[in-house]
Amino acid sequence: MITYFPTLYEDELLYSWFARYHLHSSNISPKQTMRDLYGVSNMVAVPDLPTGLAKIHDKIQHFGVPNVQSWIENHTFYRYYTSFLPKSKKNQVYSAMAQGMSSKSIHMSTGVMASSIKDIAYFRLCQSCIREDLENKGETYWRLAHQLPGVFVCCKHSEMLVSSDVPFRGDNKHQFSGVNLTNYFPLVNKTINPKTEYFLNLLAIQSLELINKDFQFTLKGIQAGYRYLLQKQSFANFKGTVDQEKLAKQFILYYGHEFLELVQSKVEPSDESCWLKSITRKHRKAFHPIRHLLFINFVGETINSFYQFSNEKFLPFGESPYYCLNSAAEHYQKRVISSVAITICTDTRRPVGTFECSCGFIYSRRGPDVDSEDTFKIGRVKQFGQLWFDKLQELVSQGLSNYDISRKLNCDIGTVKKYRNQKQIVQCTDCNKETQQATDYRKVWLTLIETHPNKSVTQLRNSNNNAYSWLYRNDKKWLQEHSPKLKRTSPAVKVNWNDRDEDILSEVKAAIALLKNREKPVFINRSQVGKSIGQLGIIEKHLNKFPKTKAYLDIHLESRESFQLRRVKWACQELLIRNECIVEWKIARLAGLKQMNEEFKLTIQKQALLQQESLYKRK
């Protein structure tokens, strides 16, 4: 019977806990420790996904230790490796860790063995954590968060980790090895750029989220979320086909080669088996968590926000109902069109929406809609409709000029000239037919009310827009008398402004990071950020309710001059890529600037000098 066992520390690997027991118990042989823990000496000391934990728990539970579930979820790599796996696989791994006695099958199930991302070579430490541990506990230990692949930074102290001389998977597979305080070395033997440093911090934080929370992603949800976000960011068309060349180029530009090499996730655009291409297609294999985290961050989300897109469907023209843009109608610029027919433009491969209103007006435009103003744009009018022609003839009879008519009907003056002398559509004068139509539509409307007694007028209208529109235009008094009355809504739920501030701040940070890494610079102002997160009204009008978000924006929004300077630098880089000479007039044209101040000119001169030095070295 085991008579002593040390305390399990916060974020400590079980492997580290067992190593401290080996040290404290003064066992000379590692196999003796194995016999103490498992009852046999041939078990393997596994640092990430240990097995047979229920057996160990039975031997030491009298010390009041946490249960097996707590061990697996909080002190192993279980959550890290299974967050993106199907629930059946997740349960299989859990059972193997609790009751199984072999770790090989677990690593196969999680896809770790087949991944091109390898384990860390040696255990890692944070020097500030060591100092705090020695001061408060008298010893230090292997922290779970520091051993995750791709983690180079201690989230607690925001400093680079160091490498120990203790192999992650030791030469003696039966030995639990503790911390050696005499030897540790830098993880990276060169100075990394600020961009790489930023993404290393971000990856460490997101990796920590994986092990601290129990995420339940599904394979179907992951693929649907990726497809939607790619479509939203214009990397995939309406049908879901991904522009792999554009995606790879922007992905590399966003992260940089240095960072991608450090986290073993280089992107090779010419390689058909490149992981970035595979992860955007139907998933036929498991992907390492690092790859998922990189992709989710690239499309502007975090591990905490990604779940909400698992059931999203990409709507290039937004949700119905849509606006009727017939300026001759009473419902002009009102949402009365219930559906849109979507096709693909043969030239640009962009979605084309055709909107048909019950008033006879049909128009189309190329999408997707980027902001709310796009919903009021007409690409091409396919049919004006009888209502429009009636209005045209009315304005002609009033003696208005072609110019005045075009202004009132919101159309080109050439259109007025073309149709002003044409009736185009003959109105029906059959009164009996009109009476029968009114009877039919009244029946439809009353049936709707009877079928859906709790729905409002707007909801009923969406169910059958044709009936509502006809009655509104031709039998308005009857419609008003036979429509549901407006009901008072229940008091609004009290908003937790602090939580909402945190949520919007997270979205703003992700949006600004993505905007800064756009291929072509965009002006990062309040309007742009608000549109990116779909919260333009809050950002422009109610920001005082969100102090944290406001403080962050005050720091990270750019002035017009700083944006212009960034465009100048981008233009210089573009000319370098094209192998063109960096000269002021080319930069001005590419950056869209009419005047150059001294700072801009100095920047151009420096870039030109660097280009000349590069050419000289090549020679």
Side-chain angles (χ1 to χ4, degrees):
M1 178 180 176
I2 298 176
T3 58
Y4 162 79
F5 218 83
T7 302
L8 179 60
Y9 294 132
E10 182 184 1
D11 193 40
E12 182 176 18
L13 274 176
L14 288 183
Y15 176 98
S16 173
W17 191 30
F18 300 154
R20 288 194 297 113
Y21 166 73
H22 174 72
L23 179 65
H24 293 186
S25 63
S26 299
N27 284 339
I28 297 174
S29 169
K31 291 192 175 184
Q32 179 57 51
T33 299
M34 283 296 179
R35 280 192 287 271
D36 291 348
L37 297 174
Y38 289 99
V40 294
S41 61
N42 61 347
M43 287 295 292
V44 178
V46 181
D48 50 359
L49 299 170
T51 55
L53 297 179
K55 198 168 187 177
I56 299 176
H57 189 269
D58 290 342
K59 288 178 174 289
I60 63 173
Q61 60 181 326
H62 54 281
F63 293 109
V65 297
N67 58 31
V68 173
Q69 181 179 351
S70 177
W71 287 5
I72 293 175
E73 292 181 348
N74 302 314
H75 299 279
T76 72
F77 283 40
Y78 168 74
R79 281 180 170 172
Y80 181 77
Y81 280 129
T82 61
S83 290
F84 298 97
L85 293 181
K87 191 174 182 179
S88 58
K89 280 280 181 73
K90 197 168 185 175
N91 292 337
Q92 181 184 337
V93 172
Y94 184 92
S95 297
M97 293 180 70
Q99 305 294 339
M101 299 300 282
S102 173
S103 62
K104 287 185 179 179
S105 60
I106 297 180
H107 289 83
M108 289 291 289
S109 297
T110 58
V112 176
M113 293 187 72
S115 176
S116 59
I117 294 181
K118 304 306 177 187
D119 292 327
I120 60 175
Y122 297 91
F123 280 99
R124 295 174 176 179
L125 297 156
C126 166
Q127 290 174 292
S128 293
C129 288
I130 293 174
R131 286 193 292 270
E132 290 180 3
D133 289 344
L134 294 178
E135 183 179 337
N136 300 323
K137 301 179 178 69
E139 62 179 342
T140 190
Y141 55 94
W142 302 128
R143 281 171 165 78
L144 166 61
H146 294 168
Q147 317 312 322
L148 300 176
V151 172
F152 287 73
V153 180
C154 173
C155 294
K156 182 179 179 181
H157 299 102
S158 298
E159 66 178 63
M160 288 289 287
L161 300 175
V162 293
S163 175
S164 71
D165 61 354
V166 180
F168 188 68
R169 301 194 188 276
D171 297 330
N172 185 346
K173 62 181 182 179
H174 304 295
Q175 181 175 353
F176 294 104
S177 300
V179 180
N180 182 349
L181 291 175
T182 57
N183 293 316
Y184 37 82
F185 314 93
L187 279 179
V188 183
N189 294 319
K190 63 177 181 179
T191 302
I192 58 176
N193 65 54
K195 181 177 178 179
T196 298
E197 188 176 345
Y198 167 78
F199 284 123
L200 286 177
N201 273 284
L202 185 62
L203 182 58
I205 292 169
Q206 292 291 285
S207 298
L208 196 61
E209 287 292 302
L210 276 186
I211 62 174
N212 285 338
K213 297 180 180 178
D214 188 19
F215 292 100
Q216 297 286 342
F217 298 118
T218 64
L219 185 62
K220 186 178 179 181
I222 292 170
Q223 291 182 199
Y226 285 176
R227 181 172 59 252
Y228 171 76
L229 290 168
L230 284 169
Q231 290 173 321
K232 185 180 178 183
Q233 300 290 339
S234 300
F235 290 111
N237 64 20
F238 170 67
K239 293 184 177 180
T241 304
V242 179
D243 186 341
Q244 296 290 353
E245 184 178 350
K246 178 183 177 183
L247 174 64
K249 181 180 179 182
Q250 288 300 307
F251 194 87
I252 295 170
L253 190 64
Y254 180 70
Y255 283 114
H257 290 287
E258 183 181 67
F259 172 74
L260 293 175
E261 286 181 11
L262 277 176
V263 296
Q264 306 177 66
S265 297
K266 288 175 62 178
V267 172
E268 301 290 349
S270 59
D271 184 2
E272 275 305 309
S273 61
C274 173
W275 73 266
L276 184 59
K277 291 181 179 178
S278 300
I279 206 170
T280 60
R281 295 166 177 164
K282 185 175 181 179
H283 290 190
R284 294 179 173 83
K285 62 179 182 179
F287 291 91
H288 197 283
I290 284 179
R291 303 275 167 81
H292 284 292
L293 293 177
L294 292 181
F295 190 84
I296 289 170
N297 177 63
F298 171 72
V299 290
E301 300 302 324
T302 67
I303 194 66
N304 290 310
S305 64
F306 173 67
Y307 72 91
Q308 63 186 307
F309 301 102
S310 59
N311 296 314
E312 285 286 347
K313 184 178 180 182
F314 179 61
L315 301 172
F317 302 98
E319 295 184 351
S320 63
Y322 305 98
Y323 291 107
C324 175
L325 301 182
N326 182 2
S327 56
E330 290 184 6
H331 55 259
Y332 175 54
Q333 290 191 345
K334 292 183 179 179
R335 291 185 176 273
V336 295
I337 301 177
S338 59
S339 62
V340 57
I342 301 177
T343 55
I344 299 294
C345 176
T346 55
D347 295 329
T348 64
R349 308 307 299 166
R350 287 165 55 187
V352 176
T354 300
F355 306 83
E356 182 175 355
C357 184
S358 58
C359 68
F361 191 78
I362 305 173
Y363 69 95
S364 67
R365 69 167 171 274
R366 221 165 10 203
D369 291 348
V370 177
D371 53 44
S372 57
E373 294 177 2
D374 290 341
T375 59
F376 296 102
K377 292 179 180 178
I378 297 176
R380 185 165 72 92
V381 176
K382 293 188 173 183
Q383 182 175 300
F384 288 100
Q386 183 63 46
L387 193 65
W388 187 90
F389 285 107
D390 289 347
K391 185 67 174 179
L392 172 64
Q393 296 306 319
E394 179 186 331
L395 296 174
V396 170
S397 65
Q398 293 175 8
L400 296 180
S401 68
N402 291 339
Y403 176 74
D404 290 335
I405 294 174
S406 68
R407 288 183 61 191
K408 287 184 177 294
L409 292 180
N410 195 27
C411 65
D412 186 79
I413 193 170
T415 303
V416 176
K417 291 178 181 178
K418 181 179 178 180
Y419 294 117
R420 66 174 292 145
N421 297 318
Q422 299 181 32
K423 293 287 184 182
Q424 197 65 17
I425 299 174
V426 179
Q427 282 187 323
C428 175
T429 56
D430 188 344
C431 296
N432 292 328
K433 184 175 180 181
E434 185 172 332
T435 304
Q436 182 60 45
Q437 200 172 17
T439 303
D440 291 342
Y441 278 128
R442 284 180 178 184
K443 286 181 180 179
V444 171
W445 185 251
L446 292 172
T447 302
L448 278 175
I449 294 173
E450 184 178 350
T451 308
H452 308 287
N454 297 322
K455 283 191 175 182
S456 65
V457 174
T458 302
Q459 291 170 322
L460 293 171
R461 181 184 68 190
N462 292 339
S463 299
N464 194 319
N465 191 53
N466 288 337
Y468 177 85
S469 298
W470 194 93
L471 291 169
Y472 185 87
R473 291 196 305 272
N474 302 285
D475 206 357
K476 189 173 182 180
K477 185 177 180 181
W478 182 92
L479 179 65
Q480 291 173 339
E481 291 173 353
H482 295 82
S483 293
K485 304 304 177 184
L486 183 66
K487 297 179 181 179
R488 288 191 175 185
T489 57
S490 57
V493 178
K494 189 174 181 180
V495 177
N496 187 325
W497 292 107
N498 188 52
D499 288 351
R500 197 171 181 193
D501 191 9
E502 291 287 352
D503 292 341
I504 292 178
L505 176 60
S506 177
E507 293 180 16
V508 165
K509 287 181 178 179
I512 290 178
L514 195 60
L515 289 171
K516 285 184 177 178
N517 288 280
R518 284 267 187 95
E519 180 180 4
K520 188 174 182 180
V522 294
F523 187 20
I524 304 176
N525 56 9
R526 288 191 178 187
S527 176
Q528 189 66 52
V529 173
K531 290 174 183 177
S532 298
I533 65 173
Q535 300 284 4
L536 183 59
I538 286 176
I539 298 298
E540 288 192 336
K541 299 178 182 178
H542 306 291
L543 200 55
N544 288 334
K545 294 182 179 180
F546 307 98
K548 294 179 183 177
T549 304
K550 184 177 184 300
Y552 186 85
L553 287 173
D554 289 343
I555 296 172
H556 292 86
L557 294 182
E558 58 185 354
S559 64
R560 176 66 64 177
E561 187 172 323
S562 61
F563 167 59
Q564 290 174 341
L565 179 60
R566 193 156 61 89
R567 284 185 67 89
V568 167
K569 292 178 180 178
W570 166 80
C572 291
Q573 191 63 33
E574 280 292 302
L575 292 179
L576 284 173
I577 294 172
R578 299 176 188 177
N579 289 322
E580 296 182 25
C581 292
I582 296 177
V583 290
E584 187 176 318
W585 69 268
K586 285 186 177 182
I587 298 298
R589 185 176 65 183
L590 198 57
L593 299 177
K594 293 182 179 180
Q595 294 181 341
M596 288 278 186
N597 62 29
E598 290 303 319
E599 186 179 5
F600 296 170
K601 292 179 181 179
L602 184 61
T603 300
I604 294 171
Q605 290 171 5
K606 287 180 179 178
Q607 292 294 327
L609 184 60
L610 290 172
Q611 185 184 41
Q612 291 173 2
E613 290 177 355
S614 177
L615 291 172
Y616 178 77
K617 289 179 181 178
R618 289 179 189 174
K619 293 179 180 179

